[in-house]
Amino acid sequence: LAKTTQPISMDSYEGQEVNITCSHNNIATNDYITWYQQFPSQGPRFIIQGYKTKVTNEVASLFIPADRKSSTLSLPRVSLSDTAVYYCLVGDMNGGATNKLIFGTGTLLAVQP
Amino acid sequence: DTGVSQDPRHKITKRGQNVTFRCDPISEHNRLYWYRQTLGQGPEFLTYFQNEAQLEKSRLLSDRFSAERPKGSFSTLEIQRTEQGDSAMYLCASSQDGNQPQHFGDGTRLSIL
């Protein structure tokens, strides 16, 4: 399973756009890229998932270059409530695979007023 | 749809006791996963079910751990003869199938005295 590397922590201010980049040099052909958000004492919450190019939903955007060796989660106009740990994961989304998630230590995003 | 539900949210017990946790997945989700998370780390995969069949177990799941999903709906995770090292957050996640993202409950926090 492909490993991911992301910054341990990031700081931002309210209203700013935040971009968190994740490296996954050994990503396999069947692997999708998934991002989760986790607040203290809560389970991870699914944010967004993509395979290539750009994916956007009501919460975030995910940018994936052509070589797929990295990805960037973009959070527009963050607020204090976006302070959380963000996990980048890659994994096989083939329906026959286990699809167990391999979490790293994530990126702790701290949003200040 | 109330999401993944876990019970209890907190459990404190003495070393050597047995504990059982329950997970109710999102309705009609065929896959159910158990993870364990310790402080400062991302969740680690323990085991997963496709309907009532337990299809994979991590090496983290020692003989003292057992999981069931008898009717393909809710699942239980039992830990026998608890040890200090079992103190962690136990998370349950479900997905519709292997192609869909996993959705997590808020976990059961186990503390061993």
Side-chain angles (χ1 to χ4, degrees):
Chain A
L1 293 167
K3 286 184 61 176
T4 60
T5 302
Q6 51 184 125
I8 294 174
S9 64
M10 293 182 67
D11 292 323
S12 183
Y13 292 94
E14 281 191 294
Q16 289 190 330
E17 178 185 77
V18 171
N19 296 309
I20 306 175
T21 297
C22 178
S23 297
H24 26 81
N25 291 317
N26 297 321
I27 190 168
T29 303
N30 288 337
D31 286 345
Y32 278 68
I33 300 152
T34 309
W35 285 80
Y36 281 84
Q37 174 194 55
Q38 187 175 27
F39 299 112
S41 299
Q42 293 186 22
R45 184 174 72 97
F46 170 79
I47 301 175
I48 199 166
Q49 183 177 76
Y51 183 80
K52 60 181 180 180
T53 63
K54 177 183 175 182
V55 181
T56 297
N57 61 23
E58 64 278 6
V59 177
S61 294
L62 178 59
F63 298 92
I64 306 168
D67 66 6
R68 305 201 325 122
K69 293 183 182 299
S70 67
S71 59
T72 299
L73 174 72
S74 181
L75 304 172
R77 298 179 298 283
V78 294
S79 64
L80 295 176
S81 63
D82 292 316
T83 294
V85 177
Y86 292 81
Y87 294 99
C88 163
L89 302 97
V90 294
D92 189 342
M93 293 299 288
N94 181 329
T98 301
N99 194 23
K100 59 188 174 187
L101 300 177
I102 308 296
F103 287 83
T105 52
T107 296
L108 174 58
L109 173 64
V111 180
Q112 301 176 31
Chain B
D1 182 356
T2 57
V4 178
S5 177
Q6 293 190 244
D7 183 71
R9 291 295 316 277
H10 304 275
K11 179 70 176 178
I12 302 173
T13 192
K14 293 182 179 179
R15 184 166 54 92
Q17 298 295 305
N18 299 343
V19 294
T20 300
F21 312 139
R22 177 180 170 122
C23 171
D24 286 273
I26 294 172
S27 178
E28 298 185 359
H29 274 197
N30 296 319
R31 290 203 175 195
L32 188 148
Y33 300 78
W34 285 99
Y35 293 82
R36 181 173 70 184
Q37 185 174 25
T38 54
L39 199 61
Q41 303 298 315
E44 297 173 290
F45 169 79
L46 292 178
T47 188
Y48 98 100
F49 293 83
Q50 172 81 31
N51 298 313
E52 66 275 9
Q54 188 174 16
L55 296 184
E56 184 169 341
K57 294 193 291 186
S58 161
R59 276 174 280 185
L60 292 174
L61 217 63
S62 75
D63 291 344
R64 296 184 297 106
F65 289 70
S66 62
E68 294 182 344
R69 194 182 183 198
K71 297 182 180 179
S73 56
F74 74 92
S75 175
T76 58
L77 177 67
E78 180 183 14
I79 309 174
Q80 296 182 325
R81 303 181 303 281
T82 52
E83 301 174 353
Q84 292 281 357
D86 296 332
S87 294
M89 174 81 86
Y90 290 85
L91 293 160
C92 174
S94 71
S95 66
Q96 195 166 18
D97 54 41
N99 294 328
Q100 301 298 316
Q102 294 175 33
H103 297 273
F104 284 79
D106 283 336
T108 294
R109 180 166 296 284
L110 174 64
S111 298
I112 306 298
L113 300 178

